[in-house]
Amino acid sequence: GMRDYRRIHCHSKKIMTLQTFTELEKLLPKNKIIRVHKSWMININEVASIERNRLKIIDQLIPVSDTYKNVLNRFV
C-alpha cells in the first residue's frame, strides 16, 4: 500500500519519506543500519534480543527473512 514511502522510527519521532530501500541503503551507514527483511531495515545498535526468525527492538518484534539472515549474523 505504501509503495516507495518508508516510515522511519526514531526515538523522538517518526519520519515519512518517499524513497526506495535501495536509495536508503546508499545513504545510511552500512555498519549501523542493515536490511533484515524485504520490509524492514534496523539500527543494529538498538537490537535488544534475537530469537529464531525475529528480533526485538524496544517492544517491537521484527521479522528476519532467510534472505537477510547472513547479513544479521555478521553483526551479532
Side-chain angles (χ1 to χ4, degrees), residues 19-37:
Q19 292 176 301
T20 65
F21 274 117
T22 303
E23 292 169 334
L24 283 173
E25 284 177 310
K26 290 177 185 175
L27 297 172
L28 299 170
K30 292 176 178 29
N31 62 336
K32 292 183 182 180
I33 309 296
I34 61 168
R35 187 105 176 246
V36 294
H37 189 273

Side-chain angles (χ1 to χ4, degrees), residues 42-58:
I42 57 120
N43 180 337
I44 196 70
N45 296 324
E46 298 294 325
V47 175
S49 64
I50 301 171
E51 52 186 62
R52 295 189 184 168
N53 291 334
R54 60 188 182 177
L55 52 87
K56 188 173 186 177
I57 295 179
I58 305 174

Side-chain angles (χ1 to χ4, degrees), residues 3-75:
R3 298 224 177 237
D4 288 338
Y5 284 95
R6 302 289 170 246
R7 188 175 313 128
I8 301 170
H9 295 258
C10 301
H11 286 283
S12 59
K13 61 184 171 181
K14 294 179 185 173
I15 301 166
M16 186 73 78
T17 183
L18 180 58
Q19 292 176 301
T20 65
F21 274 117
T22 303
E23 292 169 334
L24 283 173
E25 284 177 310
K26 290 177 185 175
L27 297 172
L28 299 170
K30 292 176 178 29
N31 62 336
K32 292 183 182 180
I33 309 296
I34 61 168
R35 187 105 176 246
V36 294
H37 189 273
K38 69 177 185 172
S39 301
W40 291 90
M41 293 174 75
I42 57 120
N43 180 337
I44 196 70
N45 296 324
E46 298 294 325
V47 175
S49 64
I50 301 171
E51 52 186 62
R52 295 189 184 168
N53 291 334
R54 60 188 182 177
L55 52 87
K56 188 173 186 177
I57 295 179
I58 305 174
D59 61 348
Q60 177 79 41
L61 287 174
I62 298 168
V64 176
S65 70
D66 289 339
T67 304
Y68 296 100
K69 197 177 281 190
N70 289 335
V71 175
L72 178 63
N73 287 338
R74 281 188 252 147
F75 287 90

